[in-house]
Every structure is written in structure tokens, then in C-alpha cells.
């Protein structure tokens, strides 16, 4: 028993050390940073008064660095993630909000051509329909991230955009509260997205994504339209595959997929127009989906396949759909962020095109994964696993 406790203590210490190594460092003070930030803020039109008010008595937030390595889209089995993010309460909430805001949604859908159910689903996932907009000081979070080493250039630009939001009078300083990553209001817009894409739909002269539901819904719609939402097209479909399917095939038109024997589980026909990508969130042993361009647009909101799938499930089920019909695998170990980054780095070393090393596995990279899976005698379903990491020699803590 004593040996077990000693081993457990050593293991805990090693885990803590690994987490500390992965976690971005938090500065002790903003003072040196602010001196370099002010000229850029001034050049964008931020007054000294706004600048000083934004940072008055502000210190770095140590909670933020911890959260950079605890993002819910990584690590959890897909079924568990969907149960949490696409919960029955959110499905019911979307159906209720559809009734409550029907005239507004009619007008928004007519003007922007974006499916109301996806708008409602994103609203539900991000803030539970405005009930939880986050408890972090947006300026403090963005400044901490800009100095922590976690995507510093991106968060520095977002911090400057947040200062401009204050300068333009969209929200009072004390009400600029949001997520740990600086996302604001009920739709959780980053400051740059707010400046470019937020909408004053209620016509009161303010783009109010904090308290105006019409502005919130129209802003989400405008965001999706901006990134290429195609009116009338579905996000995608769950499908079943024929027994002799070639898993190396990942892209085709819906007509070609139908000819290859792919079907909807409920027997409904696939559309005959448009193209789709075959996607296995948990590998070939789990559910399969054909996803189109609108699925990629949803990922612009949060660059995560499982996030987009959760939004799609809320939207479908709120309209009376049954949700995913195929059972999820019992052993569905998803890669952690550190493992995903290690995979990206190793694929780059092996000569595959890799866009970044932030742990996001896009559909292009899934095609590269298929090549390595086929090379090592694995089912080439494009789903990254611990087994694949070991076979290709990826190194991670």
C-alpha cells in the first residue's frame, strides 16, 4: 500500500510538471507591455482616457493560462462532448426560443438566408441563450493572453479591437465581461468580429450583443453569411456505408456518394446536388457523416469538428429530428491537444502539408492522415488515434 501511495504521489507530481510545462507563463505585471501597446492603440483611434480607464488597476489573470490547455473540444469522447454541448435542455431551449422569437427569426432568415435553427443552436452552445456570457474581464483576459505566449499576436490584435469597442461606446467598461479568451456578449464574438460583423437589428442605434436578442440573432446570421453560408443547403447527413467501402475515399459529390452505396440511416435520400466530405468523428467503428460547405461555415464560429457537429445536432433535434442513430464506440479515446500538436509536427516532418501547430485537425489534414494509415496497414478513415502516433513516431509528453 505504501509503495502504491508513493507511486501515486510521483505520478501526480509528474502530471503537474507536464501541465506546468504546457501552460503558458503569466507575467507579473502589464506595465512594460502597456508602454509598447499605447502607440498602436493611439494609431487606431483610442484616446488616452479610454486606454487608461481600460487598464486601471489591472493585473494579469492566472486563471486564463490554465484554461488554454483545458478546452472541452479536446480529449473527451465524442458522445460525452455531444451529451454536454448538445444537451436536451439546449435542444428544448432552441425549440422554445424559436417560438418566442418567430417574427424576428422570420425577418432575419429572409434578410440573411441563414437557417434559424443553426443560429439558435450557436446561441445555445455559446451562452445557453444568454444565461451565461462568462465571468472574465475581457481586457484583462486578452492582455494576459497577449503576454502568455499562447497565440500572442492574435490576442494582441483582439485586445486593440476591444479597446476600440470601448472607444466607440458600444458597452461600458465595467460590462465588458466575457469568456477567458475574450469572447463577448450572448453570441461570444471576439472583438474584431464584433467591429466587423455585429448588427443593430432592433434599430436603436447600438450594436448590442449583450442585451438585445434581435441584435444577437442577426449578428450570428451575419457572421455565418459573411463566411459563405449557402441558403437552403443542409449542414450534412449521417450515413451508413456499404460493406466493401474503400475508406481512402473522402470527397465526392452527393450523387457519387449515392452511387457508391452510402445511405441515410432512416432511408431518406441524399441530395443530388452539391459536394460533401466523408467524416468519421470517432473513426470507422462509429457514426459516419457527409458534411457540406455549411458545416465548414459553422466551424468558422469555433474551429472544431465536434463543436460544429454539436450545433448541427441541436438544430436537427430542435425540429424533431432523432439525432445520431449509429452507436458511438465504447472505447472512444480522443487525442488531447498536446497529442494533436505532436501529430501535426510529425506529419510535417514526414513531408505532409500542415497549416499550423495548434492541434486542430482539419479535413485536409485528415486526408494526409489517411495516407499514413494506409501506409501502416490501418483503416484509412482519417481519424487520428494514439496507435497512429506510435506507428509514425510522434513524440509527446
Amino acid at each position: 500500500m505504501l509503495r502504491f501511495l508513493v507511486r501515486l504521489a510521483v505520478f501526480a507530481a509528474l502530471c503537474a510538471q507536464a501541465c506546468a510545462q504546457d501552460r503558458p507563463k503569466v507575467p507579473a505585471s502589464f506595465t512594460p507591455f502597456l508602454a509598447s501597446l499605447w502607440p498602436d492603440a493611439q494609431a487606431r483611434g483610442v484616446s488616452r482616457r479610454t486606454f487608461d480607464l481600460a487598464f486601471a488597476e489591472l493585473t494579469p489573470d492566472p486563471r486564463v493560462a490554465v484554461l488554454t490547455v483545458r478546452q472541452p473540444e479536446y480529449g473527451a469522447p465524442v458522445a460525452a462532448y455531444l451529451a454536454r454541448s448538445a444537451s436536451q435542455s439546449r435542444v428544448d431551449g432552441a425549440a422554445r426560443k424559436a417560438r418566442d422569437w418567430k417574427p424576428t427569426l422570420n425577418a432575419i432568415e429572409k434578410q440573411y438566408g441563414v437557417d434559424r435553427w443553426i443560429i439558435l443552436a450557436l446561441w445555445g452552445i455559446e451562452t445557453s441563450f444568454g444565461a451565461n456570457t462568462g465571468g472574465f474581464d475581457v481586457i484583462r483576459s486578452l492582455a494576459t493572453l497577449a503576454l502568455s505566449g499562447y497565440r500572442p499576436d492574435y490576442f494582441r490584435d483582439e485586445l486593440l479591437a476591444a479597446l476600440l469597442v470601448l472607444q466607440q461606446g458600444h458597452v461600458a467598461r465595467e460590462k465588458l465581461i466575457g469568456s477567458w479568451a475574450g469572447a463577448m456578449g450572448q453570441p461570444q464574438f471576439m472583438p474584431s468580429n464584433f467591429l466587423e460583423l455585429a448588427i443593430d437589428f432592433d434599430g436603436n442605434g447600438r450594436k448590442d450583443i449583450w442585451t438585445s436578442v434581435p441584435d444577437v440573432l442577426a449578428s450570428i446570421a451575419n457572421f455565418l453569411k459573411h463566411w459563405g453560408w449557402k441558403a437552403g443547403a443542409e449542414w450534412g447527413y449521417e450515413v451508413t456505408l456499404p460493406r466493401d467501402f474503400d475508406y481512402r475515399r473522402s470527397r465526392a459529390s452527393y450523387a457519387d456518394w449515392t452511387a457508391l452505396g452510402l445511405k441515410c440511416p432512416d432511408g431518406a435520400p441524399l441530395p443530388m446536388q452539391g459536394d460533401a466530405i466523408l467524416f468519421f468523428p470517432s473513426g470507422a467503428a462509429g457514426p459516419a457523416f457527409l458534411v457540406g460547405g455549411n458545416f465548414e461555415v459553422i466551424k468558422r464560429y469555433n474551429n472544431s469538428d465536434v463543436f460544429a457537429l454539436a450545433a448541427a445536432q441541436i438544430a436537427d433535434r430542435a425540429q424533431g429530428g432523432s439525432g445520431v442513430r449509429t452507436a458511438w464506440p465504447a472505447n472512444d479515446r480522443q487525442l488531447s491537444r498536446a497529442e494533436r500538436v505532436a501529430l501535426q509536427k510529425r506529419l510535417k516532418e514526414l513531408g505532409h502539408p500542415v497549416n499550423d501547430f495548434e492541434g486542430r485537425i482539419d479535413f485536409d489534414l485528415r486526408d494526409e492522415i489517411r495516407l499514413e494509415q494506409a501506409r501502416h496497414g490501418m483503416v484509412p478513415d482519417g481519424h487520428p488515434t494514439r496507435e497512429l502516433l506510435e506507428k509514425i513516431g510522434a513524440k509527446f509528453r
Side-chain angles (χ1 to χ4, degrees):
M1 183 66 178
L2 180 61
R3 284 197 299 270
F4 170 77
L5 292 174
V6 171
R7 290 172 182 166
L8 184 62
V10 171
F11 176 74
L14 290 173
C15 288
Q17 181 181 10
C19 289
Q21 290 171 343
D22 286 340
R23 189 181 305 153
K25 294 179 175 60
V26 178
S29 169
F30 285 139
T31 303
F33 173 67
L34 297 183
S36 66
L37 185 70
W38 163 243
D40 289 339
Q42 185 181 35
R44 293 198 183 193
V46 177
S47 71
R48 188 74 218 194
R49 181 178 183 279
T50 297
F51 188 88
D52 290 342
L53 178 65
F55 292 102
E57 301 181 5
L58 212 61
T59 58
D61 190 340
R63 300 172 298 168
V64 169
V66 176
L67 291 169
T68 63
V69 295
R70 292 186 183 175
Q71 298 177 38
E73 294 83 9
Y74 299 132
V78 177
Y81 176 84
L82 290 179
R84 182 173 64 251
S85 297
S87 64
Q88 188 62 48
S89 64
R90 286 180 176 166
V91 172
D92 294 341
R96 184 172 60 254
K97 296 296 184 182
R99 295 190 297 269
D100 293 345
W101 294 96
K102 184 175 181 179
T104 299
L105 288 164
N106 286 344
I108 289 172
E109 208 166 51
K110 181 178 180 180
Q111 181 167 339
Y112 296 97
V114 177
D115 177 18
R116 69 185 63 200
W117 298 104
I118 292 295
I119 296 171
L120 292 167
L122 291 172
W123 187 23
I125 291 178
E126 290 295 342
T127 61
S128 293
F129 311 101
N132 181 15
T133 57
F136 289 81
D137 183 314
V138 167
I139 297 293
R140 187 186 187 197
S141 291
L142 291 173
T144 301
L145 288 164
L147 283 176
S148 69
Y150 178 73
R151 304 175 68 192
D153 293 339
Y154 169 76
F155 285 110
R156 189 179 191 277
D157 285 343
E158 290 297 339
L159 176 58
L160 291 167
L163 292 172
L164 201 54
V165 171
L166 289 175
Q167 180 65 39
Q168 294 177 359
H170 297 290
V171 63
R173 173 66 184 90
E174 66 274 12
K175 294 184 178 180
L176 193 57
I177 305 299
S179 76
W180 66 267
M184 310 183 308
Q186 295 189 38
Q188 293 288 275
F189 272 17
M190 293 302 290
S192 61
N193 286 329
F194 173 86
L195 292 173
E196 183 179 5
L197 299 173
I199 296 294
D200 172 22
F201 199 75
D202 62 14
N204 70 350
R206 294 177 58 239
K207 297 188 291 186
D208 182 6
I209 62 170
W210 293 271
T211 64
S212 169
V213 172
D215 288 7
V216 169
L217 299 175
S219 295
I220 295 173
N222 191 46
F223 180 98
L224 297 173
K225 180 181 179 181
H226 171 81
W227 288 111
W229 184 272
K230 185 176 180 181
E234 297 291 337
W235 65 268
Y237 302 85
E238 184 185 359
V239 292
T240 58
L241 281 60
R243 183 170 298 178
D244 58 349
F245 182 75
D246 181 358
Y247 285 89
R248 293 172 297 179
R249 188 74 179 264
S250 65
R251 299 168 189 261
S253 67
Y254 277 115
D256 286 342
W257 287 125
T258 297
L260 288 168
L262 276 69
K263 301 177 181 178
C264 293
D266 61 359
L270 293 170
M272 295 307 292
Q273 301 295 322
D275 300 322
I277 297 171
L278 183 59
F279 169 45
F280 300 94
S282 297
F289 301 88
L290 288 177
V291 298
N294 282 347
F295 188 86
E296 294 276 41
V297 173
I298 298 171
K299 286 173 61 178
R300 289 287 187 171
Y301 218 95
N302 181 329
N303 192 9
S304 161
D305 293 318
V306 290
F307 173 90
L309 188 59
Q313 290 303 303
I314 293 174
D316 286 357
R317 290 166 56 200
Q319 301 175 74
S322 61
V324 180
R325 291 172 177 260
T326 305
W328 295 97
N331 182 19
D332 183 20
R333 186 190 182 282
Q334 298 285 318
L335 296 186
S336 67
R337 181 176 182 273
E339 290 169 332
R340 289 167 181 247
V341 171
L343 171 64
Q344 289 178 311
K345 290 181 177 179
R346 182 55 180 155
L347 289 174
K348 184 72 171 181
E349 292 170 355
L350 293 171
H352 296 280
V354 179
N355 295 327
D356 58 55
F357 301 111
E358 296 179 1
R360 298 183 180 93
I361 310 299
D362 61 21
F363 290 126
D364 289 339
L365 199 58
R366 287 181 187 273
D367 284 344
E368 302 302 317
I369 289 170
R370 280 181 166 87
L371 297 176
E372 289 297 330
Q373 288 172 323
R375 186 172 294 131
H376 290 279
M378 303 172 67
V379 176
D381 55 19
H383 177 61
T385 61
R386 185 70 174 267
E387 181 186 2
L388 176 64
L389 294 184
E390 293 170 353
K391 286 184 179 295
I392 67 175
K395 299 178 181 178
F396 55 92
R397 287 192 292 271

